[in-house]
Amino acid sequence: MRLTTPITIQFNDAIDTISEQDWQTLSHSNNPFVDYHFFKALETSQSVSINQGWQAHHLVAKSQEQPVAVMPMYLKSHSWGEYVFDWDWADAFERYDLDYYPKLVSTIPFTPVESNKVLSSTLQVSDLFSTLIEYCEQQHINSWHILFTEQIKTPLPEDVYQRNTVQFHWFNRGYQDINDFFATFTSRKRRATRKERLSIAQQGLTIRHLNGHQITEKEIAFFYLTYQITYLKRGHQPHLNIDFFKQIISSMPDNILLIIASDQDEDVACALFFHDDSQLYGRYWGATGYYNNLHFELCYYQGIEFCINHNLSRFNPGTQGEHKIQRGFEPVLTYSYHWIMHPGFKQAIKDFCQQERSHMLTYQAQCRALLPFKKADK
């Protein structure tokens, strides 16, 4: 179904100005990261705010005064938390004494997960390209970016550019259990994987799964401690505060899985996942001490078992990480779309995107050649 009546566009600087019912009705996806409650928790916890360089600027399209589309968007004064890196573009602008920011970004903050960024049954991402260009030109916004969205298969406008990155996902091909999956590995890789898993029991570790309804205040506090440790080890402050996690565990319990490892009844590590009726999404991991192979067990193998046991088709364990390849996570392309206002940079950025795409396709093929599967199972 496509619209035959004119649409009007408005931009909303707070999710509270958009009806929860309108948002949820327009969203035809079970993806938890496009749920109204996820975005509301980001804003009401102040994890995402103008002070953090994330000014909510959500697009709402209406036809005959009725909302027909929502597109989560932000005005950004930096490029943190996006995972499609344009720091070099910003540096090039600065060298010529030009402003790169503000920029208008459609994304899920701190969450590099593919989703249709336009919540609608009548409009698609490409339908809004000209509207976004016109708006940015009028408001002197230097660029717009639509990150981790579905691939657009129709020809792009001359000044809209596609970028690709590579992530590593696990696919459920009807496995009966995790050993059924490991049976697709070469014998050498299969032995290495089983040795990793055996080391968990040898260290005396036990593991438990909790859904959102079962997570207590004590376990939230432990999770947040390990979440902070992970960031501080890298010299960064956490993006999300504990109030955000409390809110989503309360408002989205059916979409949340917390896996905790314990050493002699003392919790020592955990991993937080989201899931819907078809996919598992690994998001956050942390530990209070080092245990051999524990990261692989909590973040990968336990997730694979959960998918098999719950008949989920795909497991996205998070961005980056070539160590995932040897554990059966396959390289997949992600898609993002970009527009830059400054005419002097258009061709250079277009050339960059084309070269980057060629590199990513080569990298994807190289990664696929390193998968642990028997040749007949590739």
Side-chain angles (χ1 to χ4, degrees):
M1 177 182 176
R2 304 305 294 270
L3 286 174
T4 57
T5 56
I7 64 170
T8 58
I9 301 292
Q10 65 184 47
F11 288 86
N12 298 59
D13 289 341
I15 196 168
D16 286 340
T17 63
I18 304 173
S19 159
E20 176 183 341
Q21 181 178 352
D22 287 342
W23 183 298
Q24 302 289 59
T25 299
L26 290 167
S27 176
H28 300 280
S29 170
N30 291 321
N31 185 320
F33 303 110
V34 298
D35 190 283
Y36 182 89
H37 296 101
F38 188 87
F39 286 91
K40 186 174 180 65
L42 286 169
E43 292 185 32
T44 58
S45 70
Q46 293 293 295
S47 294
V48 166
S49 68
I50 191 170
N51 292 331
Q52 305 295 332
W54 291 83
Q55 171 60 62
H57 210 59
H58 307 308
L59 182 154
V60 177
K62 293 184 177 182
S63 175
Q64 298 179 335
E65 298 303 314
Q66 294 299 313
V68 294
V70 169
M71 189 177 193
M73 303 198 83
Y74 298 88
L75 284 171
K76 295 287 304 297
S77 58
H78 57 71
S79 294
W80 294 107
E82 298 175 15
Y83 302 94
V84 178
F85 303 111
D86 60 354
W87 297 107
D88 289 343
W89 299 3
D91 289 343
F93 273 67
E94 185 176 357
R95 286 196 297 271
Y96 285 89
D97 200 27
L98 297 169
D99 292 327
Y100 185 69
Y101 305 103
K103 62 179 184 178
L104 185 61
V105 184
S106 179
T107 191
I108 306 165
F110 319 119
T111 310
V113 171
E114 179 188 300
S115 66
N116 189 344
K117 293 302 184 288
V118 175
L119 311 182
S120 177
S121 59
T122 54
L123 293 179
Q124 300 175 5
V125 167
S126 56
D127 294 326
L128 295 172
F129 282 168
S130 60
T131 297
L132 292 173
I133 291 171
E134 181 180 0
Y135 180 76
C136 287
E137 290 174 338
Q138 291 174 350
Q139 300 298 317
H140 305 290
I141 299 169
N142 297 315
S143 61
W144 59 251
H145 311 260
I146 304 171
L147 310 182
F148 296 102
T149 192
E150 296 175 349
Q151 181 185 10
I152 297 172
K153 298 182 179 180
T154 55
L156 298 176
E158 181 66 22
D159 55 354
V160 174
Y161 315 129
Q162 176 183 290
R163 292 189 70 184
N164 298 105
T165 61
V166 170
Q167 293 183 344
F168 301 98
H169 296 182
W170 179 86
F171 295 91
N172 188 351
R173 296 189 169 90
Y175 304 115
Q176 298 300 307
D177 55 36
I178 198 167
N179 289 323
D180 193 19
F181 167 60
F182 290 150
T184 66
F185 285 21
T186 64
S187 59
R188 183 173 65 87
K189 294 293 186 181
R190 189 164 59 250
R191 285 194 301 270
T193 300
R194 288 175 173 166
K195 184 178 180 180
E196 284 183 346
R197 300 208 74 193
L198 182 61
S199 71
I200 303 304
Q202 291 171 337
Q203 294 172 91
L205 299 173
T206 58
I207 294 171
R208 68 185 189 275
H209 289 208
L210 301 171
N211 63 43
H213 297 282
Q214 298 169 316
I215 300 171
T216 67
E217 287 281 341
K218 180 181 178 181
E219 286 153 343
I220 293 174
F222 174 71
F223 158 75
Y224 197 72
L225 170 65
T226 65
Y227 169 74
Q228 289 176 298
I229 289 171
T230 298
Y231 276 86
L232 293 174
K233 282 181 177 179
R234 299 171 182 166
H236 300 297
Q237 292 294 319
H239 295 303
L240 302 166
N241 59 36
I242 194 169
D243 187 42
F244 165 78
F245 290 106
K246 287 181 177 180
Q247 287 191 48
I248 59 169
I249 289 170
S250 174
S251 62
M252 305 173 61
D254 293 333
N255 297 110
I256 291 175
L257 169 69
L258 182 63
I259 302 180
I260 300 178
S262 303
D263 183 357
Q264 297 183 358
D265 297 325
E266 178 184 353
D267 294 342
V268 296
C270 62
L272 185 72
F273 301 78
F274 289 73
H275 60 90
D276 52 35
D277 58 1
S278 64
Q279 295 195 52
L280 179 69
Y281 309 89
R283 298 305 311 130
Y284 310 107
W285 138 272
T288 57
Y290 175 76
Y291 292 85
N292 193 31
N293 297 319
L294 185 55
H295 174 261
F296 304 140
E297 180 64 31
L298 286 196
C299 296
Y300 306 143
Y301 300 135
Q302 290 289 321
I304 290 171
E305 285 194 311
F306 183 86
C307 288
I308 293 172
N309 291 340
H310 292 81
N311 199 30
L312 304 184
S313 61
R314 181 185 291 209
F315 174 19
N316 175 350
T319 191
Q320 302 175 337
E322 293 176 352
H323 53 273
K324 297 167 185 168
I325 301 170
Q326 62 183 297
R327 293 166 181 89
F329 290 82
E330 303 176 33
V332 298
L333 286 181
T334 68
Y335 296 84
S336 301
Y337 297 90
H338 308 260
W339 172 86
I340 306 293
M341 181 164 60
H342 195 284
F345 282 92
K346 287 182 181 292
Q347 188 60 48
I349 288 177
K350 181 178 182 179
D351 292 343
F352 171 87
C353 291
Q354 291 175 339
Q355 293 168 8
E356 182 185 53
R357 172 173 172 76
S358 177
H359 170 73
M360 288 296 166
L361 289 170
T362 300
Y363 175 68
Q364 182 188 29
Q366 292 171 338
C367 291
R368 185 164 292 280
L370 298 174
L371 286 165
F373 305 127
K374 302 171 187 175
K375 288 186 178 180
D377 296 316
K378 285 185 179 180

